[in-house]
Amino acid sequence: MTDTARRLAHEDLKGIGADAWIARLKRSVAERVQDGALYPEFPSAEIQRQFVGSAYEDALDEAGRFYRFAQESMNDRAYKRSAGQGYLDFGCGWGRIGRFFLRDFQAEHMAGVDIDPDMVAFCAGANLPGQFGTIVNGQPLPFADGQFRLVTAYSVFTHLPPHLFRAWLAELLRVLSPGGLLVFTVEPPRFLDFLESTDPNSDNAWHVALSAYKDQLPRMRDELAREGVAYLPSGGGAHREAEIYGDTTVTAKFVAKEAAPHGGEVVRYIDDPARFWQAAVVIRKREPRGRQGLVARLLDRLTGKA
């Protein structure tokens, strides 16, 4: 049946609400062809769990909550008048997050990048919307200034050591258009309390692995209090050595401070464990100063754009 189905397109999703769209994606686990359109593939359950801790419907349910959060944020007036055209999934992994945004963007304006060439190769051949590429830490992204209207990075900055956190935040704000949004997650300070509570005898392998680092807690609490960021070099396997991948805890103040020199302003910060395991953050790229003048602000209010 997949041989005769056409590829799912943005036009297929016009008029479909967010909840109905999320339900269709979850249904695609068992039913890849719906209404004659072919939905994106999934890697094995083992690979899914390796990257996100869950698989199939459970993995999509978590991603769907993040998608709804992004949708709420995209009602921002500055975002709606942003000149950016595209969407970037930074740290795309196996394409769990990016597939949701076909409802909002044409496939030719979508892109995904990751440091893992195996995951990039999977995405490129899995009928996922957009173009995919491998990136290298310390090198700029292959995109123009202000190219993207929306950038997402789900559970990416939670793993970056401070120097890469700063570098990639600056780079994402470079490729984000004025008025555009960076929607991402970070580990809030409560992560250190979670680390302290981990049980070496737990049935959860991740909890067992983390419990071995409890002796790092005094250092991490001190660094978080002094610098607003604390890094645990736990590593994550191939392409994720401990010097570039671990568990990173930050304060909201640290995020705002690092974004500001690059034109970023934190407009939402939700630290609610009932909604997300991590804290969800939205940074808006400031518009040029001329656009922020008194006359422009008054005109915006009169025309309902403010």
Side-chain angles (χ1 to χ4, degrees):
M1 182 180 290
T2 58
D3 293 337
T4 59
R6 56 183 170 75
R7 185 171 186 172
L8 182 68
H10 172 72
E11 289 73 18
D12 294 317
L13 307 174
K14 288 183 177 179
I16 297 177
D19 289 345
W21 171 226
I22 293 169
R24 286 193 183 194
L25 283 173
K26 292 169 76 171
R27 197 169 87 202
S28 73
V29 170
E31 190 178 341
R32 282 200 59 215
V33 177
Q34 299 177 37
D35 298 326
L38 181 64
Y39 279 62
E41 297 176 24
F42 296 86
S44 69
E46 180 183 2
I47 289 177
Q48 291 180 59
R49 293 191 181 98
Q50 175 188 343
F51 280 84
V52 304
S54 57
Y56 298 121
E57 291 91 346
D58 289 341
L60 292 177
D61 186 60
E62 179 186 354
R65 290 194 296 273
F66 179 73
Y67 178 69
R68 288 189 184 95
F69 175 77
Q71 290 288 296
E72 296 167 6
S73 305
M74 290 158 67
N75 287 321
D76 181 86
R77 295 184 186 276
Y79 174 82
K80 290 182 177 180
R81 65 178 177 236
S82 171
Q85 296 265 319
Y87 162 74
L88 174 64
D89 183 9
F90 181 74
C92 61
W94 50 264
R96 174 174 66 148
I97 300 296
R99 68 186 67 203
F100 282 82
F101 290 90
L102 181 60
R103 176 173 171 266
D104 308 281
F105 293 88
Q106 297 280 354
E108 58 265 32
H109 294 150
M110 300 175 69
V113 295
D114 203 286
I115 62 169
D116 189 330
D118 296 329
M119 288 299 94
V120 169
F122 170 80
C123 289
N127 199 47
L128 283 155
Q131 301 296 315
F132 297 90
T134 304
I135 56 173
V136 178
N137 285 315
Q139 295 186 12
L141 295 171
F143 306 117
D145 293 0
Q147 181 170 336
F148 298 102
R149 190 180 193 186
L150 179 69
V151 178
T152 62
Y154 188 78
S155 197
V156 177
F157 282 85
T158 53
H159 298 295
L160 298 179
H163 71 287
L164 290 180
F165 191 112
R166 294 182 174 98
W168 282 124
L169 182 59
E171 182 65 359
L172 292 182
L173 287 168
R174 177 187 70 79
V175 301
L176 191 65
S177 63
L181 299 177
L182 167 59
V183 184
F184 66 117
T185 60
V186 297
E187 287 287 15
R190 59 183 165 84
F191 175 77
L192 297 187
D193 296 328
F194 165 71
L195 175 60
E196 188 170 24
S197 72
T198 53
D199 181 358
N201 299 311
S202 171
D203 293 333
N204 186 302
W206 183 50
H207 292 189
V208 173
L210 280 178
S211 69
Y213 295 100
K214 285 188 179 184
D215 62 339
Q216 297 293 312
L217 275 166
R219 171 190 64 80
M220 295 182 71
R221 292 192 188 280
D222 178 65
E223 289 179 357
L224 189 66
R226 286 188 294 105
E227 303 173 18
V229 58
Y231 178 64
L232 180 65
S234 49
H239 312 294
R240 293 168 182 79
E241 296 79 11
E243 62 268 21
I244 63 167
Y245 187 96
D247 292 280
T248 305
T249 307
V250 297
T251 63
K253 184 177 180 181
F254 174 83
V255 176
K257 177 174 69 77
E258 296 302 328
H262 309 287
E265 176 186 10
V266 176
V267 293
R268 295 186 76 189
Y269 183 95
I270 308 295
D271 182 9
D272 180 1
R275 291 188 67 182
F276 304 107
W277 171 257
Q278 301 161 351
V281 187
V282 180
I283 292 177
R284 182 200 297 136
K285 177 80 169 283
R286 286 194 295 269
E287 297 177 275
R289 286 188 175 274
R291 189 73 179 87
Q292 299 297 318
L294 176 61
V295 173
R297 291 199 301 272
L298 289 173
L299 285 173
D300 279 350
R301 289 176 183 173
L302 289 172
T303 57
K305 295 181 178 178

